Amino acid sequence: MVRTGSASVAAGPTLAVVAREAGVSVPTASKVVNGREDVAPDTRRRVTEALDRLGYVRRPRFDAVKSSGLVDLVVHSLDSSWSGAVLHGVEAAAHDAGLEVVVSAGLTRTRGSGPERGWLDKLVARGSSGVLFNLAELTESQYAWLDQHRVPYVLIDPVLEPPAGVVSVGAANWQGGVSATEHLLALGHERIAVIAGHQHKMCSSGRVAGYRSALASAGVRHRPEYVRHAGFDESLARRRMLELLDLPEPPTAVFVCSDRMALGVYEALSERELRVPDDMSVVGFDDLPEARWLTPQLTTVRQPLSEMAATALRLLVRMMDGDRPESTRTELSTRLVVRASTRAAGHRGNGTATGHREERADGEAAGKTVGRGDARAVASG
């Protein structure tokens, strides 16, 4: 039995059992396990499915080959400003620690959105000292593989609640939802809708919970028809906004749980010839560069993506040195940045948001920001 932070793992089936299950020879199964290229695609698929189905893990040899100067970063994709912020944070922290980073993106998945087994096996071969996973949905067998090989790893903004003992870093999503909703309530809005991401994923459910909590604290009735889910998809967010506008009593304000989805909301409002913020106040989440590209610029909840990534790298370095963090979950505070997309309920004017002050890029107090403290560690499990 081995325990490295997420679960105890017993020895699984032998490679001979896997080969028999897949209908191939043991040498062929070994080629797949070791990431060899000279295997037919259909054969590789059958062996990979058998590996996952049987929960096969290779004998631990990670500690024998790992290099102290190399870590892996696995991101969902590289085509977004979100990924750019994460890369910036990891690179800066890795430079300070004297480490090099291997970045993998858009990996083939076996199930969910976790990395394929072939990549995990190659991790051992190149001798990385640890792994950072950003927005990954690892399967049970992939967690088992990492534990069996004693690979130190940290999750950055995990999509689903990780197993007990797994170290992760995220943002204070619940507090961000509270701040966004309290801002709209303070402007006199009571008909406040929310367009969330995926219904059962951590960040989305936390933001919606904060929204509901703020409404309850203000004594404002929660309307189930005002809660819509768009899976963090811009085009789907547009459709959800149109649905809200078609309600018998549409909202006067909407909290959109990502800046990218806010792009779709703006598009829907434009289609109906409605103006932001005169006809609809809009608050986003993330504070990506897109928030400043919109007209009017988007009031949004800033989550410190680069700081989250840098914190995860520093935690990984500690784990590589054999030091387990006291808390498995670290949350960094969010804060509201008020721009021009929100206005007092019932007020129509010249397009300038009530009390609008922009925040300067250098962080000085030229803008109105609302936050609650610095990074804080939250024990889980």
Side-chain angles (χ1 to χ4, degrees):
M1 301 287 285
V2 178
R3 181 181 296 274
T4 61
S6 65
S8 294
V9 186
T14 65
L15 191 59
V17 172
V18 172
R20 185 167 59 251
E21 176 76 9
V24 301
S25 67
V26 172
T28 297
S30 178
K31 288 181 180 181
V32 175
V33 167
N34 288 290
R36 294 271 297 274
E37 302 296 334
D38 53 337
V39 180
D42 183 64
T43 301
R44 183 181 301 279
R45 177 188 58 78
R46 297 202 320 272
V47 174
T48 299
E49 289 176 353
L51 290 168
D52 283 333
R53 187 163 57 249
L54 297 174
Y56 173 83
V57 292
R58 294 171 61 185
R59 294 180 60 187
R61 61 185 184 92
F62 185 83
D63 290 338
V65 299
K66 70 181 180 181
S67 165
S68 61
L70 189 67
V71 296
D72 272 64
L73 168 65
V74 182
V75 297
H76 183 69
S77 68
L78 289 172
D79 61 353
S80 69
S81 51
W82 169 287
S83 297
V86 169
L87 285 170
H88 175 75
V90 170
E91 189 280 330
H95 180 270
D96 291 342
L99 297 171
E100 295 183 359
V101 181
V102 175
V103 180
S104 301
L107 298 171
T108 302
R109 271 73 177 174
T110 53
R111 297 199 307 271
S113 59
E116 64 178 359
R117 177 178 292 274
W119 177 86
L120 291 171
D121 289 327
K122 290 177 182 178
L123 174 70
V124 172
R126 66 172 161 264
S128 292
S129 297
V131 191
L132 298 173
F133 293 101
N134 179 223
L135 293 175
E137 295 179 65
L138 301 181
T139 65
E140 183 177 343
S141 64
Q142 289 161 351
Y143 279 120
W145 189 102
L146 291 163
D147 287 340
Q148 188 74 7
H149 287 74
R150 298 183 177 89
V151 180
Y153 63 97
V154 177
L155 308 184
I156 305 171
D157 198 18
V159 175
L160 302 175
E161 185 74 31
V166 171
V167 177
S168 67
V169 178
N173 290 296
W174 181 87
Q175 188 57 62
V178 169
S179 298
T181 310
E182 286 181 343
H183 171 66
L184 294 170
L185 289 166
L187 292 174
H189 295 279
E190 294 189 352
R191 292 173 11 221
I192 304 171
V194 60
I195 298 179
H198 299 280
Q199 187 168 1
H200 301 296
K201 296 189 175 179
M202 282 184 66
C203 64
S204 181
S205 60
R207 293 166 198 178
V208 173
Y211 155 84
R212 288 176 172 164
S213 178
L215 291 181
S217 296
V220 174
R221 178 171 64 92
H222 165 62
R223 304 186 187 211
E225 69 272 20
Y226 278 6
V227 179
R228 307 279 166 148
H229 291 85
F232 296 112
D233 180 81
E234 179 181 336
S235 61
L236 193 52
R238 169 188 161 274
R239 288 164 51 189
R240 296 294 178 257
M241 188 69 245
L242 292 173
E243 293 170 2
L244 289 167
L245 294 173
D246 288 336
L247 291 173
E249 192 173 25
T252 63
V254 59
F255 167 37
V256 190
C257 290
S258 81
D259 292 348
R260 288 193 63 85
M261 288 198 298
L263 300 176
V265 167
Y266 270 51
E267 183 180 352
L269 294 170
S270 178
E271 288 178 24
R272 296 293 178 88
E273 298 184 349
L274 299 174
R275 294 187 297 172
V276 179
D278 291 348
D279 302 301
M280 184 72 62
S281 285
V282 182
V283 177
F285 201 106
D286 289 331
D287 197 26
L288 298 175
E290 289 90 324
R292 296 173 183 265
W293 300 343
L294 287 167
T295 303
Q297 291 188 356
L298 183 66
T299 294
T300 189
V301 176
R302 174 178 295 170
Q303 62 172 333
L305 297 175
S306 293
E307 291 88 340
M308 287 159 53
T311 298
L313 189 282
R314 288 190 288 268
L315 286 171
L316 182 64
V317 170
R318 287 177 53 189
M319 295 169 66
M320 287 156 45
D321 291 337
D323 180 19
R324 289 289 300 176
E326 294 180 1
S327 299
T328 58
R329 171 70 175 176
T330 300
E331 287 190 354
L332 273 62
S333 62
T334 55
R335 55 180 175 174
L336 183 74
V337 180
V338 178
R339 297 195 178 101
S341 66
T342 52
R343 159 166 299 155
H347 177 80
R348 299 181 66 85
N350 61 5
T352 302
T354 302
H356 167 237
R357 290 182 291 162
E358 179 58 271
E359 181 182 55
R360 282 169 48 179
D362 61 6
E364 294 181 6
K368 180 180 179 182
T369 61
V370 181
R372 284 173 168 78
D374 298 321
R376 56 190 178 93
V378 181
S380 65

